[in-house]
Amino acid sequence: MDALAPSLPTKNWSDMGLPERALLQYQVEQFLYAKAALLDARRYRDWLGLIADDIHYWMPIRRTVTNSDLDREFTKPGQVAYFDDDREFLEMRVKKLEAGSAWSEDPPSRSRHFVTNIRILDVAGDEITIEACFHLYRTRLESDIDSWVGRRVDVLRRVSEGFRLARRHLFLDQTVIQSTNMSTIF
């Protein structure tokens, strides 16, 4: 078992003392940093190994709205989205990247995934809900530069060997995507 793997079972977040909270915060942060490093190193198969079979990977579209319409700022589940993927679709994306048949990634992009402001929102049974800020910086070819910034809400599931990502909902800060493609995994 990994030294950073969480011990099972644990208490709910509200019942945990400061040392338990600090240890869990550290474990969650290390897991998220390791996942980001796998993507930056193009180790997509290893990244897939850290997601749950029932993953929901979703990025709604953001719209500019007035204060009175803030509830319509992001599209809702089931409406149009940049991503609304399950494990099967993510596996297909990885196979395409590995096979070299993703024209938008040949030659491959260079990326850097930054994860910060990680907050544990809830611990319920074997699932931990976190919120974090992200910055995905990508360069491609000689002069293409893309930058996506936002927040995400993840659900991590504890398993005997560590964590698995069970849900990732990404909320971009920008409303206009100027990239030629969004082939990078967030």
Side-chain angles (χ1 to χ4, degrees), residues 31 35 38-39 44-57 85-91 94 155-157 159 163-168 185-186:
F31 176 77
K35 282 186 70 57
L38 290 173
L39 291 173
Y44 304 116
R45 185 69 40 197
D46 293 336
W47 178 83
L48 270 177
L50 297 176
I51 65 171
D53 290 340
D54 61 342
I55 179 90
H56 185 228
Y57 182 89
D85 300 345
D86 59 12
R87 183 175 180 98
E88 183 179 355
F89 197 84
L90 289 170
E91 286 178 358
V94 166
V155 172
L156 307 181
R157 186 171 299 137
V159 295
F163 294 117
R164 294 294 175 266
L165 179 65
R167 185 180 77 206
R168 174 157 292 162
I185 298 174
F186 282 75

Side-chain angles (χ1 to χ4, degrees), residues 17-76:
L18 182 58
E20 290 174 296
R21 284 179 180 236
L23 177 60
L24 183 59
Q25 178 77 28
Y26 174 77
Q27 291 170 332
V28 165
E29 288 173 358
Q30 293 306 304
F31 176 77
L32 296 175
Y33 299 152
K35 282 186 70 57
L38 290 173
L39 291 173
D40 291 338
R42 298 184 200 108
R43 293 176 50 195
Y44 304 116
R45 185 69 40 197
D46 293 336
W47 178 83
L48 270 177
L50 297 176
I51 65 171
D53 290 340
D54 61 342
I55 179 90
H56 185 228
Y57 182 89
W58 180 67
M59 181 189 287
I61 292 175
R62 184 177 203 154
R63 300 175 281 230
T64 301
V65 297
T66 62
N67 281 332
S68 62
D69 286 329
L70 286 178
D71 62 321
R72 296 183 57 242
E73 187 172 17
F74 291 98
T75 56
K76 306 291 185 235

Side-chain angles (χ1 to χ4, degrees), residues 12-150:
N12 286 336
W13 187 239
S14 59
D15 298 330
M16 296 171 70
L18 182 58
E20 290 174 296
R21 284 179 180 236
L23 177 60
L24 183 59
Q25 178 77 28
Y26 174 77
Q27 291 170 332
V28 165
E29 288 173 358
Q30 293 306 304
F31 176 77
L32 296 175
Y33 299 152
K35 282 186 70 57
L38 290 173
L39 291 173
D40 291 338
R42 298 184 200 108
R43 293 176 50 195
Y44 304 116
R45 185 69 40 197
D46 293 336
W47 178 83
L48 270 177
L50 297 176
I51 65 171
D53 290 340
D54 61 342
I55 179 90
H56 185 228
Y57 182 89
W58 180 67
M59 181 189 287
I61 292 175
R62 184 177 203 154
R63 300 175 281 230
T64 301
V65 297
T66 62
N67 281 332
S68 62
D69 286 329
L70 286 178
D71 62 321
R72 296 183 57 242
E73 187 172 17
F74 291 98
T75 56
K76 306 291 185 235
Q79 296 178 337
V80 67
Y82 292 114
F83 303 112
D84 194 356
D85 300 345
D86 59 12
R87 183 175 180 98
E88 183 179 355
F89 197 84
L90 289 170
E91 286 178 358
M92 186 174 61
R93 287 177 64 189
V94 166
K95 285 179 187 175
K96 194 173 178 181
L97 289 167
E98 290 175 337
S101 59
W103 64 266
S104 60
E105 286 299 320
D106 191 16
S109 296
R110 296 163 299 277
S111 68
R112 192 65 53 211
H113 291 73
F114 297 94
V115 183
T116 186
N117 297 23
I118 300 164
R119 295 183 313 125
I120 295 175
L121 302 178
D122 189 40
V123 177
D126 64 347
E127 293 191 343
I128 302 155
T129 303
I130 67 106
E131 182 178 66
C133 298
F134 69 87
H135 181 185
L136 172 50
Y137 177 83
R138 177 181 75 173
T139 63
R140 187 164 188 290
L141 303 172
E142 301 302 321
S143 61
D144 293 353
I145 297 174
D146 296 305
S147 185
W148 297 279
V149 176

